[in-house]
Amino acid sequence: MLKKRWVYSVAALLTLSMMGVAQDSLAASSSNQQPPLIMVPGQGGQFQENFSPFSTSALQGTLGLIYQPLFYFNPSGQTVPLLGQSFVWSDHAKVLTVNLKHNVKWSNGTPMTSTDVVFSFDLLKKFPQLDGSQIWKVISGVRAKGPFQVQFTFQTPNSAYAYYILGTTYIVPQRVWKNVSDPTKSLNLHPMGTGPYILVSFTPEMYQFMANPVYWNGAPKVKRVDFPAYSGNESTTLALVQGKIDWTGLFIPHIDQVYSNRSPYNQYWFSDFGGANMIYTNLQNPLLKQLPVREAISLAINRQKVSQLGEYGYEPPATPTGYALPPAAKAWTDPKLPTQFQYNPARAIKILEQAGFKKNAQGVFVSKNGQPLSFTLDVVSGWTDWDADCSIVASELSSIGIKVQVQQLAFGAYYQNLSTGHFQLGMSWSGSGPTPFYMYQSLFQPNGSGNWDHWNNAVTTKALYNYEHTSNVKKQQQDVYVLEDAMVKSLPYIPLVYGVGWNEYSTKNFVGWPNAANPYAQGSPWVSPSNGIILSQLRPR
């Protein structure tokens, strides 16, 4: 392992030397005055070497630190230029023209141009397995217009897909990837990107990045970033408390007592993700497809209790639309809809009785044809806050006559159950994006990536279509109002609490972190491309 570390370090130094960077200055920057920033985005034990931007199992930092998309859509609703400088729609939202920055270079010092951007998107067309956002189902072509302009042509107007093109597709160098016969299998062990950092070493226990001296926004002031391997929350929390970690993202019960009160340098900021953690209801189940049953479930859940006891108050109760918006984006919320859930067990019982349900000798409601309201509720074993949330939900529903058995499953079995429709109730997350549309698209589109409930409704499908086929923001807001109305009144998904991004950091060695007063990026270390943006904004204390 030591030999591999040495080989990678020398390769990186040679690359930097070819760009005119003195090796002695690099060595000095990495070894003397400034300590490395220690970053632990996740806990999975030893690392498997994989730096492919197309792989779902790529190591943290591949996206954000090495590779970047054209733009970043930040939590404040701002569009931040990265490799792109500006974009404009034309031909009634059928043509999207992107102007690129002129000073972007690959980490070997060669310019990034429109040729690389076009190649990156053509690669998704050639290998559809890589096109997770299904971009080539909505665009008909992409072409370069000079070295710094790219034009996307859509099959039909679809302004909503700009987010996936501009913000979620990572650009790769043509000179490297044109020689890869099958990018779906490549581990990309020698990555070349445009991001703020360069990979310099790897072992299963640790991998390291150095600041990219030719980064388009200037070399980051944090010169070295180390990613050590940790196997679980307990060991990571201990190391964090001992000051051995600068940045991580953990659920820590009693975090003030355990972490932040121990040092003025110990900080945390749990930013909103946009969407909520919800109870998914399988609408193929003959009982759960009945609206009175879903209404009763929603009314019987004390979300404040779930928030305070299950989530230690970190995740606030969700609102009926299921979407958290920054104050500046309130125009996306229909003002006629309620802003809080009711907690009313008596009302829940009355709704079930009015729908013809009666309690049996065991106190469980039974339908007219003898089916008891008895369900399983799937959750991931070891996700302790979610496990607690589900126990609370089960207890609350039991108290009104709905029997719920919580099934704690390994993540693989849990995900398999929900994504294939083999569940009754399940707790899960929801997607997000620059507007609420992206969450609803995932949940409501008949073939949506998160539509595990099998929701299929002509009104919401039409609203999604209308949103996609206009770039008029006022019209799009009205379409979102239709989607919100369905979420609130039909309850295909039952929001519980808002998901937050766990994010603990130390200001002992580095300052400039995003926080509630300056939310320039989502703070969790596993979120890209914001992870690279944050590192490029930090500076030594």
Side-chain angles (χ1 to χ4, degrees):
M1 296 306 167
L2 289 176
K3 183 178 180 181
K4 176 173 280 190
R5 177 191 291 271
W6 181 84
V7 169
Y8 275 95
S9 298
V10 169
L13 289 171
L14 286 173
T15 299
L16 294 170
S17 179
M18 291 170 64
M19 292 185 294
V21 179
Q23 293 186 23
D24 55 350
S25 64
L26 178 64
S29 70
S30 65
S31 62
N32 50 27
Q33 303 92 347
Q34 188 186 106
L37 187 148
I38 309 299
M39 184 170 169
V40 183
Q43 305 81 41
Q46 290 197 330
F47 299 119
Q48 300 293 319
E49 196 172 14
N50 182 351
F51 295 96
S52 169
F54 302 111
S55 171
T56 55
S57 56
L59 290 172
Q60 291 286 342
T62 301
L63 302 182
L65 275 68
I66 300 175
Y67 297 98
Q68 295 182 307
L70 297 169
F71 293 86
Y72 170 55
F73 297 83
N74 77 10
S76 299
Q78 299 167 326
T79 302
V80 180
L82 293 177
L83 307 183
Q85 183 62 48
S86 63
F87 62 91
V88 62
W89 284 99
S90 60
D91 194 15
H92 306 286
K94 282 190 68 176
V95 176
L96 175 65
T97 301
V98 179
N99 297 304
L100 305 176
K101 283 192 168 80
H102 289 206
N103 63 334
V104 178
K105 295 180 179 178
W106 297 106
S107 53
N108 71 344
T110 59
M112 187 216 72
T113 69
S114 56
T115 301
D116 297 301
V117 178
V118 172
F119 173 82
S120 299
F121 283 91
D122 282 343
L123 205 59
L124 304 185
K125 183 180 182 181
K126 186 176 181 181
F127 296 93
Q129 310 97 302
L130 306 180
D131 190 9
S133 299
Q134 300 185 335
I135 289 171
W136 278 97
K137 287 193 174 181
V138 298
I139 67 172
S140 57
V142 52
R143 63 177 179 136
K145 294 190 69 179
F148 299 111
Q149 191 175 76
V150 179
Q151 197 168 77
F152 299 87
T153 303
F154 287 70
Q155 298 172 20
T156 60
N158 198 323
S159 61
Y161 253 79
Y163 168 63
Y164 300 113
I165 291 172
L166 302 175
T168 68
T169 303
Y170 287 76
I171 307 303
V172 299
Q174 182 188 36
R175 69 180 63 236
V176 173
W177 287 88
K178 71 179 182 181
N179 300 318
V180 178
S181 59
D182 187 353
T184 66
K185 298 178 180 176
S186 171
L187 299 178
N188 193 34
L189 303 185
H190 304 282
M192 178 194 295
T194 57
Y197 285 89
I198 299 171
L199 176 71
V200 291
S201 72
F202 173 85
T203 73
E205 296 79 27
M206 168 89 79
Y207 58 98
Q208 298 174 315
F209 289 94
M210 298 293 293
N212 179 0
V214 296
Y215 184 49
W216 54 264
N217 202 28
K221 294 182 173 57
V222 177
K223 300 303 180 186
R224 198 179 100 193
V225 182
D226 292 355
F227 287 71
Y230 281 87
S231 59
N233 279 13
E234 189 173 331
S235 60
T236 309
T237 300
L238 179 62
L240 179 71
V241 171
Q242 292 174 338
K244 297 178 180 178
I245 295 174
D246 292 291
W247 189 16
T248 188
L250 293 170
F251 168 71
I252 303 176
H254 306 294
I255 190 169
D256 291 328
Q257 180 182 345
V258 172
Y259 176 63
S260 63
N261 289 346
R262 289 174 177 260
S263 167
Y265 300 126
N266 294 351
Q267 305 287 322
Y268 66 91
W269 173 49
F270 299 154
S271 58
D272 292 334
F273 256 114
N277 299 327
M278 305 179 179
I279 298 296
Y280 282 54
T281 61
N282 191 335
L283 300 177
Q284 294 183 322
N285 182 290
L287 294 172
L288 291 171
K289 75 177 183 181
Q290 298 180 40
L291 179 57
V293 175
R294 301 197 301 276
E295 289 178 323
I297 291 174
S298 180
L299 283 164
I301 297 174
N302 185 339
R303 291 170 175 78
Q304 194 65 39
K305 187 176 180 180
V306 173
S307 171
Q308 292 300 318
L309 297 183
E311 300 293 343
Y312 287 78
Y314 304 146
E315 296 189 330
T319 59
T321 62
Y323 204 88
L325 288 164
K330 289 300 181 186
W332 289 99
T333 301
D334 186 346
K336 297 190 293 297
L337 293 175
T339 57
Q340 290 184 324
F341 276 108
Q342 291 183 53
Y343 169 55
N344 192 336
R347 174 68 180 151
I349 292 173
K350 189 172 183 178
I351 286 176
L352 290 175
E353 291 174 340
Q354 289 174 338
F357 291 89
K358 294 181 180 179
K359 286 187 177 179
N360 61 18
Q362 290 73 42
V364 176
F365 274 109
V366 178
S367 69
K368 294 176 182 176
N369 58 8
Q371 293 178 293
L373 293 186
S374 178
F375 307 107
T376 54
L377 172 56
D378 289 5
V379 66
V380 180
S381 175
W383 290 14
T384 53
D385 54 333
W386 280 26
D387 296 340
D389 295 346
C390 288
S391 294
I392 295 169
V393 168
S395 175
E396 303 251 297
L397 296 183
S398 176
S399 69
I400 68 159
I402 299 177
K403 186 178 179 181
V404 172
Q405 179 184 355
V406 178
Q407 290 192 149
Q408 294 189 18
L409 305 170
F411 180 80
Y414 156 87
Y415 190 81
Q416 177 76 8
N417 280 1
L418 266 70
S419 61
T420 59
H422 292 89
F423 73 103
Q424 294 176 334
L425 299 172
M427 181 172 178
S428 194
W429 59 85
S430 59
S432 61
T435 76
F437 165 83
Y438 296 92
M439 182 188 78
Y440 294 126
Q441 182 193 43
S442 170
L443 298 176
F444 287 165
Q445 194 79 271
N447 61 351
S449 59
N451 189 359
W452 297 337
D453 282 9
H454 297 277
W455 172 259
N456 193 341
N457 177 276
V459 174
T460 54
T461 300
K462 186 172 188 298
L464 292 170
Y465 177 90
N466 290 342
Y467 181 104
E468 293 171 346
H469 289 73
T470 180
S471 57
N472 184 309
V473 174
K474 293 292 185 184
K475 290 182 179 178
Q476 289 180 326
Q477 289 171 350
Q478 294 300 315
D479 297 325
V480 166
Y481 288 1
V482 173
L483 303 172
E484 291 171 343
D485 189 77
M487 190 74 174
V488 172
K489 296 178 180 175
S490 298
L491 290 164
Y493 304 84
I494 301 174
L496 284 182
V497 293
Y498 280 118
V500 298
W502 309 118
N503 167 32
E504 297 89 10
Y505 57 93
S506 169
T507 59
K508 181 178 181 180
N509 296 319
F510 304 101
V511 297
W513 302 89
N515 53 38
N518 183 22
Y520 66 83
Q522 209 285 335
S524 298
W526 64 81
V527 178
S528 62
S530 56
N531 49 5
I533 292 171
I534 292 170
L535 288 170
S536 66
Q537 294 294 313
L538 297 180
R539 61 189 186 280
R541 173 177 283 281

